[in-house]
Amino acid sequence: MQRFKNKNALITGGTNGIGFATAQQFITEGGSTIITGRTEETVRIAVEKLGSNAKGIVSNAGKMEDVFALKELVKKQTPSIDLLFVNAGYGKFASLEDADEFHFDELFNMLVKGTFFTVQQALPLMRKGSAIVLNTSVVTEMPIASFSVYSAAKSAVRSFIKTFAAECTDKGIRVNGISPGYISTNGFNNTGLSQEQIDGTIQSIIPTIPFKRFGEPSEIANAVLFLASDEAAYIHATELKVDAGVSTIG
Ligand SMILES: NC(=O)c1ccc[n+]([C@@H]2O[C@H](COP(=O)([O-])OP(=O)(O)OC[C@H]3O[C@@H](n4cnc5c(N)ncnc54)[C@H](OP(=O)(O)O)[C@@H]3O)[C@@H](O)[C@H]2O)c1
């Protein structure tokens, strides 16, 4: 399939995991991609892997000076964007007693402020017929102890799906979200848990998933690209759960 021939995507957090898989599939289907990540090294390595239809921008979604520079940096690579996938981020655990202001600001700056101003920056580059996909999470529906700040931040992103959609309707830009379940990525490395704790957490989660396995990043990429494609031309203001049913029947 070449659904994205001559189309351009901007994928934040595209150096790894879900964002990288989405960039890979977008390129396989004929498109070109700009990815972001926090460091020169991660961005360079990912762009090398993705090949000549990928470009990279070092940009931290939690640093507003980086986010506000995004429009001009993207414009140097492409005059327009057909898909904006706002994906950059991670979750971190901290209990109600232990969470400090730094923890709160780190997650809210990156996920809430970062998402809001990334969309604001990209909007002038988006034409009629283009699509925005926001990455939320099942944590908006599944209460997980010590994950309250991350869950609240992702709930704000979930709220943006509807409000941005209402605002973008007249521009002819569709806005939707994907809500991933448990996906095999490096995501757990950012949570603040030790490797032993990560392994234990993963083993305790697997039996709770209806399909008894973590999802693959490509399975989320499939859903993002569906929402970006013409096949989803009548889908707007929706959040698509890609979670093996864990948030509904798990
Ligand atoms: N994995 C899951 O189970 C799961 C479930 C629900 C939702 N999600 C969401 O999916 C998204 C992608 O996560 P993932 O699971 O694919 O994790 P991942 O493999 O760790 O990838 C995270 C990506 O985001 C980038 N990133 C992280 N913080 C950033 C920042 N402040 N500014 C710019 N880029 C940043 C990373 O790039 P650099 O390291 O190069 O900066 C990397 O490319 C996140 O929003 C996450 O909350 C994941």
Side-chain angles (χ1 to χ4, degrees), residues 12-13 38 61 86-91 107 110-111 150 154 187 190:
T12 69
R38 286 164 296 178
V86 187
N87 164 76
Y90 50 81
L107 295 179
M110 173 176 67
L111 296 169
Y150 174 67
K154 285 292 190 179
N190 291 301

Side-chain angles (χ1 to χ4, degrees), residues 13 15-16 18 38 42 59-61 87 135 150 154 181 183 185:
T15 65
N16 202 64
I18 293 168
R38 286 164 296 178
T42 51
S59 179
N60 186 333
N87 164 76
N135 191 341
Y150 174 67
K154 285 292 190 179
I183 310 302
T185 67

Side-chain angles (χ1 to χ4, degrees), residues 45 54 57 66-67 82 95 104-105 120 135 140 153 156 171 178 238:
I45 292 170
I57 295 174
D66 285 7
V67 177
D82 302 285
S95 69
F104 191 97
D105 289 345
Q120 184 198 65
N135 191 341
T140 63
K171 299 184 201 319
I178 45 134
T238 284

